């Protein structure tokens, strides 16, 4: 497949068009996407990305097709990890749920712009100095080691995510309001034009996107050195990320070992880059400037390894005791909250199903070992209050109709779930 100016122009036009469609038809009117809406649009964007890879096969360009799919899966995995940080930032700024779509789409747009700049810069550097792969490889190995060490030490830097240097600088330049004014970036207070938290959260996410690019771009250059492949794989991995956030919201937290999996992938790509650099070595102090006879890792093998590590990470996360504990705690809170939101005129069948789910997961949550409760419940008072309120509501309803509600009675008598 010939990659020329026309190819680049058509591809950029497609990506800009998809972004414009999102801005015009999805986030212009603030709303909370339903699961159905998020699922449909996630499938559409993933389908577009997969169909794009088939274009290479249609031209008989199998090598670039495999590189594209490998890079797409790698970048998609790293993007999902980025969603964790976006979630932390939005929680820190208390972004209303209906405005989170706009914040996420801004983050995706800024990420696309910043990573495109890094891709072009990386391509120029590689063209001028092929031994830069040594630096890329060693950098990824350091990042993987740092991420693994942070997980083992259980470091929590979330407090700093919403107070990075860019946010502090923005606050110094312009006065900021503590209150949201819809999804506006600026508002008026006491006759003065001030920034809203909406602008500050976008600044925080934009600054974080730049940091993500330092990990992301060296990693994908380990899959392909063709700038077009790197760009398209990165761009399509970011498209649809907003919908994916709302689709797997809740599941994200259950991927308790995702960081370990990503550390393993980054380490693998780092080793691949170092081997590639040794194979094409030009440094005079390594093997007298001659190529080192080492076995490089083919792209097909990279694809299998990346997919395999991700599959193992997801299965282990969801089936591990910690993952099961988090699922029980989240569902106990979720179904209790949903029960309190049932309309009074809800059909009896719907009410019974809601009660059964609430009881099931409340009992499961109470069986969670204490060590997981201490680790996984950030705000115990809030968690207890949500569940207690739901069971008090049910108990009052049961007493009014002369029915029994044994689980609710136990929860209320104890003053809430035993966390």
């Amino acid at each position: 497949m010939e990659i020329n100016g026309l190819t680049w122009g058509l591809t950029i036009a497609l990506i800009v068009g998809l972004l414009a469609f999102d801005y015009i038809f999805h986030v212009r009117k603030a709303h909370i996407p339903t699961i159905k809406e998020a699922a449909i649009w996630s499938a559409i964007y993933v389908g577009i990305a997969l169909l794009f890879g088939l274009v290479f096969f249609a031209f008989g360009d199998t090598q670039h097709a495999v590189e594209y799919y490998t890079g797409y899966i790698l970048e998609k995995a790293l993007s999902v990890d980025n969603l964790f940080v976006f979630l932390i930032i939005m929680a820190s700024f208390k972004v209303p749920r209906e405005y989170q779509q706009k914040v996420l789409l801004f983050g995706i747009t800024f990420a696309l712009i910043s990573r495109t700049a890094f891709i072009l810069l990386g391509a120029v550097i590689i063209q001028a100095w092929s031994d830069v792969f040594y630096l890329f490889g060693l950098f990824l190995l350091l990042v993987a080691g740092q991420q693994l060490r942070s997980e083992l030490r259980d470091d929590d830097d979330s407090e700093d995510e919403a107070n990075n240097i860019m946010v502090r600088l923005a606050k110094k330049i312009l006065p900021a309001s503590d209150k949201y004014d819809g999804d506006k970036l600026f508002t008026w207070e006491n006759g003065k034009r001030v920034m809203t938290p909406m602008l500050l959260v976008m600044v925080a996410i934009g600054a974080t996107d730049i940091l993500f690019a330092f990990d992301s771009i060296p990693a994908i250059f380990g899959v392909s050195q063709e700038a077009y492949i790197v760009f398209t794989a990165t761009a399509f991995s970011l498209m649809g990320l907003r919908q994916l956030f709302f689709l797997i919201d809740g599941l994200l937290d259950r991927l308790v070992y995702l960081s370990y999996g990503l550390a393993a992938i980054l380490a693998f790509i780092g080793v691949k880059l170092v081997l590639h650099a040794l194979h094409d070595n030009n440094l005079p102090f390594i093997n007298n400037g001659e190529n080192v006879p080492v076995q490089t890792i083919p792209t097909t093998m990279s694809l299998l390894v990346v997919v395999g590590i991700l599959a193992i990470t997801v299965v282990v996360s969801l089936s591990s005791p910690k993952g099961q504990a988090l699922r029980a705690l989240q569902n106990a809170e979720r179904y209790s909250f949903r029960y309190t939101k049932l309309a009074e005129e809800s059909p009896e069948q719907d009410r019974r199903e809601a009660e059964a789910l609430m009881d099931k997961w409340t009992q499961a949550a109470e069986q969670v070992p204490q060590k997981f409760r201490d680790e996984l419940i950030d705000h115990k008072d809030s968690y207890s209050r949500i569940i207690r309120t739901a069971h008090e509501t049910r108990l009052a309803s049961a007493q009014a109709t002369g029915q029994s509600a044994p689980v609710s009675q136990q929860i209320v008598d104890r003053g809430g779930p035993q966390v």
Side-chain angles (χ1 to χ4, degrees), residues 2-15:
E2 183 182 358
I3 299 173
N4 52 31
L6 179 61
T7 307
W8 274 97
L10 291 175
T11 304
I12 292 173
L14 172 62
I15 292 169

Side-chain angles (χ1 to χ4, degrees), residues 328-337 339-340 358-359 361-363 365-366 377 380-394 407-408 411-412 414-419:
L329 295 169
Q330 285 182 334
N331 283 344
E333 186 176 26
R334 176 180 296 112
Y335 288 115
S336 295
F337 180 74
Y339 180 80
T340 63
M358 180 174 68
D359 286 348
W361 290 109
T362 298
Q363 291 174 325
E366 296 220 320
I377 302 178
K380 292 183 173 59
D381 291 341
S382 173
Y383 170 85
S384 300
R385 185 169 59 255
I386 289 171
I387 298 178
R388 177 180 170 81
T389 299
H391 285 278
E392 284 177 338
T393 302
R394 181 191 174 185
V407 175
S408 293
I411 296 295
V412 173
R414 287 198 306 265
Q418 303 302 295
V419 296

Side-chain angles (χ1 to χ4, degrees), residues 73-91:
I73 294 172
L74 171 63
E75 290 297 303
K76 200 69 171 179
L78 293 173
S79 297
V80 170
D81 189 47
N82 296 354
L83 287 180
F84 279 109
V85 180
F86 289 169
L87 187 61
I88 291 171
I89 292 174
M90 289 192 292

